Amino acid sequence: MTPSEITAYIGAAAWLPQIITWLYRFWMRPQVTVIPDKYAEVGFTSLGPIFNLRMVFTCEKKDAVIDGLDLLIRHENGDTRSFRWNGLSETFSEISDNAGNKQVISRNQTPIAIKIGTESIVEKFIRFQEPQYWQRNRPLTHKLITQFNYLKNLDSTSYINETLKSRELHETCEERKQSFWWQPGKHKIQVKLSSPHKINVKKCTWEFSLTTTDVDQLKANIPNLKIDLENIIKSNDSSFKEIPIAWNWANVDINNSADR
């Protein structure tokens, strides 16, 4: 062995501790697995397209903190939409009396972050909404509110009726109607998690199908968009009685995807 070869081996050996550290950190990253419920809720309301699903989170090797959860939902024709967690609820207990009446004790949360430990599982009912819906609707809603306040200051007796006839209300309603995109057919779901630290996520790909009847029921919610806005505006009249709205939902089966 020549002196230059000995020097090369010594130099390589000097890197071994760092390489071992890198490998250790990689293999000791939290391994997160997400397990869905067998059923989910698909909706369309004044909050836009909605997808609600109960999920179980497990973690191996190390505890993990999740600060973001998105769903990519892709229709079989290639149309893809992104959903982001918007609400969490957790059931603590369910009590039944002798008559069979049930009382559920649960807590609603704003999703900021959740911690997943290695010694237990985390179960959450998660409500997902489409961020693009709010990006498109927020400016129009702001214009509607501005116009409402302007008309109220201009004439405190007719501002409600004038707002109901305003262009701003019409544009807001039309934009919300155009946000309906649910289609019959198969939809694939891909889960995306984010964390302040590096984690490994087991591939999470599922699918569900919407029938023509499902989509028609969801489309029947579209006229309620205007009624909902009108209820809010008319509530400024103390004599007004709110028109109740019953939103239709589609309950779908969640299956493992062939892409797993």
Side-chain angles (χ1 to χ4, degrees), residues 10-49:
I10 293 174
W15 279 96
L16 280 177
Q18 184 63 51
I19 293 172
I20 293 172
T21 300
W22 288 338
L23 291 173
Y24 175 80
R25 288 177 179 174
F26 176 80
W27 288 110
M28 286 306 295
R29 287 180 189 174
Q31 175 75 35
V32 179
T33 301
V34 186
I35 304 170
D37 193 359
K38 295 180 180 180
Y39 313 101
E41 296 175 343
V42 177
F44 182 78
T45 71
S46 294
L47 301 176

Side-chain angles (χ1 to χ4, degrees), residues 24 30 38 54 61 65 100 136 146 149 156 173 187 198-199 212 228 235-236 251 258:
Y24 175 80
K38 295 180 180 180
R54 188 176 301 279
K61 299 180 181 178
V65 174
R136 294 190 302 266
T146 300
N149 290 329
S156 60
C173 288
H187 299 69
K198 292 183 178 180
I199 60 174
T212 301
D228 189 37
S235 66
N236 290 271
N251 296 311

Side-chain angles (χ1 to χ4, degrees), residues 8-173:
Y9 278 114
I10 293 174
W15 279 96
L16 280 177
Q18 184 63 51
I19 293 172
I20 293 172
T21 300
W22 288 338
L23 291 173
Y24 175 80
R25 288 177 179 174
F26 176 80
W27 288 110
M28 286 306 295
R29 287 180 189 174
Q31 175 75 35
V32 179
T33 301
V34 186
I35 304 170
D37 193 359
K38 295 180 180 180
Y39 313 101
E41 296 175 343
V42 177
F44 182 78
T45 71
S46 294
L47 301 176
I50 296 173
F51 192 83
N52 297 334
L53 177 64
R54 188 176 301 279
M55 294 178 168
V56 168
F57 301 84
T58 66
C59 193
E60 299 176 9
K61 299 180 181 178
K62 291 172 63 177
D63 294 353
V65 174
I66 304 301
D67 62 3
L69 174 54
D70 293 328
L71 298 182
L72 291 180
I73 298 183
R74 185 175 76 251
H75 188 263
E76 58 189 356
N77 66 9
D79 188 10
T80 303
R81 305 288 175 145
S82 177
F83 284 72
R84 183 169 301 154
W85 64 352
N86 189 263
L88 305 172
S89 71
E90 182 177 6
T91 300
F92 294 104
S93 64
E94 184 175 299
I95 304 172
S96 298
D97 59 23
N98 294 332
N101 300 312
K102 292 184 179 180
Q103 180 181 4
V104 177
I105 300 175
S106 61
R107 179 180 66 177
N108 290 319
Q109 300 171 269
T110 299
I112 299 175
I114 58 175
K115 183 176 182 179
I116 309 170
T118 58
E119 299 298 324
S120 61
I121 65 173
V122 175
E123 180 180 334
K124 300 283 187 181
F125 181 78
I126 306 180
R127 297 181 291 276
F128 293 91
Q129 295 179 18
E130 188 181 22
Q132 287 187 351
Y133 173 85
W134 291 109
Q135 292 171 5
R136 294 190 302 266
N137 278 269
R138 192 174 290 114
L140 295 174
T141 303
H142 178 71
K143 288 182 180 180
L144 176 58
I145 294 172
T146 300
Q147 180 67 4
F148 173 85
N149 290 329
Y150 169 76
L151 293 172
K152 185 176 182 179
N153 291 328
L154 192 67
D155 187 339
S156 60
T157 59
S158 63
Y159 71 98
I160 293 177
N161 288 332
E162 291 300 317
T163 303
L164 294 174
K165 296 184 294 184
S166 69
R167 181 182 65 184
E168 288 76 11
L169 177 65
H170 174 75
E171 290 178 347
T172 303
C173 288

Side-chain angles (χ1 to χ4, degrees), residues 230-244:
E230 290 178 342
N231 276 341
I232 295 172
I233 295 168
K234 291 178 180 179
S235 66
N236 290 271
D237 181 353
S238 58
S239 64
F240 171 69
K241 292 184 178 180
E242 182 176 312
I243 300 174

